[in-house]
Amino acid sequence: SRPILDMSYSRHFLDFQGSSIPSSMKKLVVTKLSQNFREAVTLQQDSPVPLPGDGDLLVRNRFVGINASDINYSAGRYDASVKPPFDIGFEGVGEVVALGLSASADYTVGQAVAYVKAGSFAEYTVVPARQAVRLPSVKPEFLTLMVSGATAYLSLKELGDLSEGKKVLVTAAAGGTGQFAVQLAKKAKCHVIGTCSSDEKGGFLKSIGCDRTINYKTENVESVLRKDYPEGVDVVYESVGGEMFDLALNALAIKGRLIVIGFIAGYQNPTGLQPIKAELLPAKLLKKSASVRGFFLNHYLSDYKMALQNLLKMYERGDLVCEVDFGDMSPEGKFTGLESVFRAVDYMYMGKNIGKIVVELPHSVNSKL
């Protein structure tokens, strides 16, 4: 095993002759607030590699996850007080390459870890050791669980009240988080309906247990729901917004629950929103004793580690499919290197992905040993 290189005291450790850690790196930085990711974000070629403090890990990122809300972050919608330039990217998987003295009590160089923290779109990220999650190996499948899997797990557990025989509608069901909502609802013995945009996605959904797929490009979602589910659906896992939100709301059963985990249809608009028929909302909810609940992962961090541990166990037992989309079918091929994050975000908004979009950051060893 490699010795711990304690970098918490002095910058000169970065130049240590045996170290494979360079002094500079590439990273993506928001330089202008805009919902247009390509306008907002700049690839910086020679940022200094950050130093871990006493309780920190320096992680060399190998895989980073793309999220629909990356463009909400680049538009400054999460925290109006933060002004550019600031780092972007929410989650990463990689190896610990250096660490502070306190952090060395629990971690060693070479340990595989995952994390959720702003600033993952970089070759190296400093992560507080207490926020890191140990992994058995560096695999992109683990990345799918960090935000997408945990969102599905906690929102359905806390707000879904799932039980056998309930009808659950998942919108954008073949996406990064939809894939988990489908599988977790099936595990609760529910009847699952999934909307998607292609027959290929429909095939994937059937392979993970979806009972009824609706390709909204070839079928009328409203007609299908009215005809096949005249009593309505009990739970909706909704991430699309706009017209899909209105359809889902109208499809709710008596005492039905609609969980809003996003509204991707509006994120590229200047306001981040797409119109919904909100003026009818009070009457519709009252008429059915129904509810609409929002879910934002950051508000459930006290349960996060528990959720992640359960998801990791399910995956390792073979009870959970963690579909990863590297963009192999995209026009310019696989998403490799930080410069391909821009393409990956475009690909997500074209609705092409099946599963979680992941970008691989290849590592070239430059050890002087």
Side-chain angles (χ1 to χ4, degrees):
S1 66
R2 289 175 58 188
I4 291 168
L5 173 60
D6 175 21
M7 295 170 56
S8 58
Y9 295 106
S10 164
R11 179 165 286 279
H12 78 254
F13 279 116
L14 276 175
D15 302 320
F16 177 62
Q17 287 298 295
S19 171
S20 63
I21 305 165
S23 56
S24 65
M25 66 172 186
K26 293 180 187 172
K27 72 171 180 176
L28 294 185
V29 177
V30 176
T31 48
K32 172 191 170 187
L33 295 183
S34 171
Q35 75 280 358
N36 180 327
F37 193 82
R38 287 179 181 270
E39 273 184 19
V41 178
T42 304
L43 175 62
Q44 294 190 347
Q45 298 282 353
D46 54 357
S47 294
V49 171
L51 279 169
D54 181 58
D56 297 333
L57 311 173
L58 181 65
V59 178
R60 181 170 61 220
N61 294 315
R62 291 282 300 285
F63 299 102
V64 295
I66 304 296
N67 291 282
S69 47
D70 287 329
I71 71 173
N72 284 332
Y73 202 63
S74 72
R77 290 179 187 141
Y78 280 170
D79 185 351
S81 68
V82 179
K83 300 287 181 264
F86 55 86
D87 296 347
I88 191 166
F90 293 131
E91 54 188 340
V93 163
E95 303 102 351
V96 176
V97 291
L99 66 174
L101 199 56
S102 298
S104 70
D106 299 304
Y107 288 90
T108 58
V109 167
Q111 168 80 53
V113 293
Y115 63 90
V116 176
K117 177 182 179 286
S120 71
F121 291 164
E123 291 178 316
Y124 295 84
T125 303
V126 167
V127 180
R130 68 178 188 281
Q131 288 179 23
V133 177
R134 283 171 193 283
L135 297 176
S137 60
V138 174
K139 283 172 73 174
E141 285 78 8
F142 293 125
L143 192 55
T144 67
L145 303 174
M146 300 302 293
V147 171
S148 302
T151 294
Y153 184 98
L154 286 168
S155 63
L156 290 173
K157 178 176 177 289
E158 297 293 325
L159 310 177
D161 193 21
L162 301 184
S163 58
E164 187 170 353
K166 290 278 168 72
K167 292 185 278 295
V168 178
L169 171 65
V170 181
T171 63
T177 188
Q179 64 171 328
F180 295 109
V182 168
Q183 294 178 79
L184 294 168
K186 280 308 293 176
K187 287 186 190 313
K189 299 183 174 168
C190 297
H191 176 93
V192 182
I193 309 130
T195 70
C196 61
S197 60
S198 71
D199 291 342
E200 189 191 0
K201 291 184 179 190
F204 165 68
L205 288 173
K206 286 184 179 127
S207 78
I208 59 170
C210 196
D211 297 288
R212 174 66 159 98
T213 61
I214 308 174
N215 177 349
Y216 63 79
K217 294 280 177 76
T218 58
E219 295 181 273
N220 182 299
V221 178
E222 192 171 15
S223 304
V224 171
L225 291 172
R226 196 180 295 129
K227 176 172 159 288
D228 293 359
Y229 303 95
E231 299 293 307
V233 296
D234 302 294
V235 179
V236 182
Y237 185 84
E238 216 297 273
S239 61
V240 177
E243 281 180 41
M244 190 63 83
F245 174 89
D246 289 328
L247 284 178
L249 182 67
N250 292 339
L252 282 178
I254 301 295
K255 297 184 183 174
R257 296 171 295 288
L258 191 156
I259 305 169
V260 177
I261 64 116
F263 34 94
I264 189 173
Y267 292 172
Q268 288 177 300
N269 297 346
T271 60
L273 297 167
Q274 208 180 33
I276 57 167
K277 298 187 173 83
E279 67 275 9
L280 302 174
L281 190 61
K284 286 180 179 179
L285 296 179
L286 178 66
K287 192 172 153 190
K288 294 178 175 176
S289 293
S291 63
V292 175
R293 299 283 298 272
F295 178 89
F296 187 45
L297 185 61
N298 289 12
H299 299 148
Y300 290 83
L301 293 181
S302 57
D303 296 320
Y304 178 76
K305 286 237 162 149
M306 169 275 295
L308 205 55
Q309 280 160 0
N310 287 340
L311 288 164
L312 283 164
K313 279 182 200 150
M314 287 163 71
Y315 172 67
E316 284 164 8
R317 282 199 309 263
D319 289 343
L320 200 62
V321 172
C322 298
E323 190 70 17
V324 172
D325 192 332
F326 277 121
D328 295 290
M329 307 306 289
S330 69
E332 294 169 57
K334 186 174 176 180
F335 303 133
T336 306
L338 283 171
E339 50 283 355
S340 70
V341 167
F342 298 96
R343 281 201 300 122
V345 170
D346 290 343
Y347 181 74
M348 169 173 279
Y349 279 91
M350 287 188 282
K352 299 292 189 189
N353 59 300
I354 295 181
K356 173 86 177 180
I357 301 176
V358 172
V359 174
E360 182 172 7
L361 305 185
H363 172 61
S364 56
V365 177
N366 64 346
S367 174
K368 297 174 187 172
L369 284 179

